[in-house]
Amino acid sequence: MGEIKSAFEKAMEKVERLEKPSEEEIKKWKHLPQGEKLASSYLKDESSLLVELAKYDEDAKRFVSEGAQQVLLRNIDLPKDDLIARKNKKVMEGIKALKNDKVRIENVYSKMRSIFEHYEQQGGVQKKQAYERLKGNFEMKLQQAIQQQLGTPLAGIKIDVEKQPQFQEEWRRTLAQLDSQYYKLLDEYKQEIQAIS
């Protein structure tokens, strides 16, 4: 009768059949997290990217730089306030320092800055208009619903719809929808940046 194997023995047999990681993969696993840590430290103003990167040999530097760039790219956001705008500037400076092709990176940054500018100027106007439109529609629907329940029109009663949870939820959805157009473009630019050497 055949030997009965434990789950552990079966798992170990599967592990033995797996291919061993290449030297390249091992270096990547080791150095990507170091780059991520370096970028976090840079964002907290605790270190200089180039000074810290210079401490690595050429082989490791590639992966450290890649890890740092991944973190920095994730930190680019729509400039919803001054803090985010300043952070974007710092992040973009950091990425540019890590890239070799400064001209291509600056071309992408020009497009990105246009999106940021449009978001701050036109986006604000769009949001204000959408907010007023939503508020007006919500007030009208709420008054109609109350009028239907009471059977008479509301005389002089003002309802603050902005405090209604349904209004706030609808406003969050509207905001997300407005911002999604900008995020789509921003994600495309981030991919372009990632492809630049």
Side-chain angles (χ1 to χ4, degrees):
M1 196 164 171
E3 184 181 317
I4 299 175
K5 295 182 181 181
S6 71
F8 176 74
E9 290 171 322
K10 289 179 184 177
M12 290 310 294
E13 285 176 2
K14 286 181 182 179
V15 167
E16 288 171 13
R17 288 191 299 255
L18 293 176
E19 289 183 30
K20 297 216 183 283
S22 69
E23 191 69 33
E24 187 87 356
E25 289 172 320
I26 292 171
K27 287 178 186 175
K28 188 173 186 172
W29 294 338
K30 179 181 178 186
H31 297 296
L32 274 179
Q34 291 171 337
E36 292 169 352
K37 188 176 176 182
L38 174 61
S40 294
S41 177
Y42 166 76
L43 289 172
K44 294 176 189 171
D45 290 324
E46 295 171 354
S47 68
S48 163
L49 281 176
L50 295 180
V51 170
E52 293 300 315
L53 198 59
K55 295 177 181 177
Y56 294 92
D57 64 49
E58 285 305 311
D59 218 21
K61 195 180 286 189
R62 184 178 58 162
F63 296 116
V64 173
S65 177
E66 185 182 333
Q69 287 178 56
Q70 289 174 3
V71 168
L72 292 174
L73 281 171
R74 283 194 303 262
N75 276 278
I76 295 176
D77 199 0
L78 293 175
K80 296 176 182 174
D81 58 40
D82 288 340
L83 182 66
I84 295 173
R86 285 193 304 272
K87 185 177 184 183
N88 282 344
K89 186 176 182 192
K90 182 172 181 69
V91 166
M92 291 164 76
E93 288 169 0
I95 292 171
K96 189 173 182 179
L98 296 173
K99 295 290 186 179
N100 295 324
D101 193 343
K102 309 291 186 205
V103 174
R104 279 186 61 205
I105 198 78
E106 197 50 51
N107 288 337
V108 177
Y109 282 176
S110 291
K111 295 188 280 188
M112 205 176 259
R113 285 186 198 103
S114 293
I115 291 299
F116 291 160
E117 224 173 88
H118 190 275
Y119 179 81
E120 290 174 322
Q121 295 168 1
Q122 301 301 316
V125 172
Q126 289 172 333
K127 286 177 185 174
K128 194 172 193 172
Q129 290 171 345
Y131 187 84
E132 292 304 321
R133 203 171 31 251
L134 181 66
K135 184 179 171 187
N137 288 343
F138 216 86
E139 283 174 342
M140 186 177 68
K141 286 179 184 175
L142 197 55
Q143 285 181 348
Q144 287 173 348
I146 293 172
Q147 185 175 339
Q148 268 185 336
Q149 281 188 337
L150 298 177
T152 61
L154 292 175
I157 298 176
K158 189 75 175 158
I159 301 168
D160 188 2
V161 296
E162 293 170 308
K163 292 190 173 134
Q164 299 296 317
Q166 298 90 342
F167 173 80
Q168 292 172 359
E169 179 61 34
E170 189 60 37
W171 176 236
R172 279 192 292 276
R173 262 197 301 278
T174 303
L175 265 182
Q177 187 178 6
L178 289 171
D179 284 353
S180 71
Q181 303 162 27
Y182 292 99
Y183 278 120
K184 185 174 185 263
L185 282 172
L186 195 57
D187 287 342
E188 288 174 20
Y189 296 148
K190 286 179 180 183
Q191 288 173 5
E192 276 186 59
I193 290 169
Q194 217 166 9
I196 296 172
S197 62

